């Protein structure tokens, strides 16, 4: 005997709610574990698009900071660990962009000086 149809419906809804709650908890737990392992290895500190499908980025890998060029390929441009301050705990878009611009400008100036060191009289 099935009993009262209203009671059966209530039991069905409660069972469904328990199953859905367990599914949500499992998904959040797995997402948290996955996110932790991926973000610990490489973190993008700053990025700037310089042309269509071309950008430069400052990334952090195991405590070291690198300036990379991203386009058809990814190229290491410089190790900027000593020149790029530690990443802020809370994102600050305007401050991060200013720091990135300063680091990029300084690196470009040094590259120009290196290129023109052996070629007197050549201007940019």
């Amino acid at each position: 005997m099935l009993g009262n149809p209203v009671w059966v419906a209530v039991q069905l809804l409660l069972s469904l709610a328990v199953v859905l709650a367990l599914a949500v908890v499992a998904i959040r737990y797995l997402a948290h574990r996955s996110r932790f392992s991926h973000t610990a290895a490489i973190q993008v500190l700053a990025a700037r698009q310089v042309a269509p499908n071309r950008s430069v980025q400052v990334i952090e890998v195991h405590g070291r900071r690198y300036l990379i060029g991203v386009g058809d390929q990814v190229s290491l441009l410089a190790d900027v660990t000593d020149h790029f301050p530690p990443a802020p705990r809370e994102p600050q878009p305007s401050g991060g962009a200013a720091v990135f611009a300063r680091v990029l400008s300084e690196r470009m100036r040094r590259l120009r000086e290196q290129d023109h060191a052996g070629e007197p009289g050549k201007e940019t």
Side-chain angles (χ1 to χ4, degrees), residues 6 10 16-17 32-33 42-43 51 54 59 62-63 88 111 122:
V6 174
V10 169
L16 179 62
H32 175 70
R33 285 188 63 197
I42 299 175
Q43 183 178 15
R54 305 283 190 266
I59 62 170
H62 299 293
L111 287 173
K122 187 174 180 182

Side-chain angles (χ1 to χ4, degrees), residues 53-70:
N53 298 323
R54 305 283 190 266
S55 66
V56 289
Q57 300 178 4
V58 175
I59 62 170
E60 184 175 56
V61 181
H62 299 293
R64 303 284 304 168
R65 292 173 193 88
Y66 301 99
L67 180 65
I68 60 171
V70 179

Side-chain angles (χ1 to χ4, degrees), residues 18-29:
V18 168
V19 169
L20 289 176
L22 289 174
V24 168
V25 168
I27 289 171
R28 286 187 180 181
Y29 174 74

Side-chain angles (χ1 to χ4, degrees), residues 39-40 42-47 58-66 80-93 95-97 99-100 102-103:
T39 58
I42 299 175
Q43 183 178 15
V44 177
L45 301 179
V58 175
I59 62 170
E60 184 175 56
V61 181
H62 299 293
R64 303 284 304 168
R65 292 173 193 88
Y66 301 99
V80 293
T81 302
D82 298 331
H83 307 290
F84 199 84
R89 292 285 181 191
E90 297 179 17
Q92 299 172 356
V99 171
F100 179 78
R102 180 174 47 84
V103 169

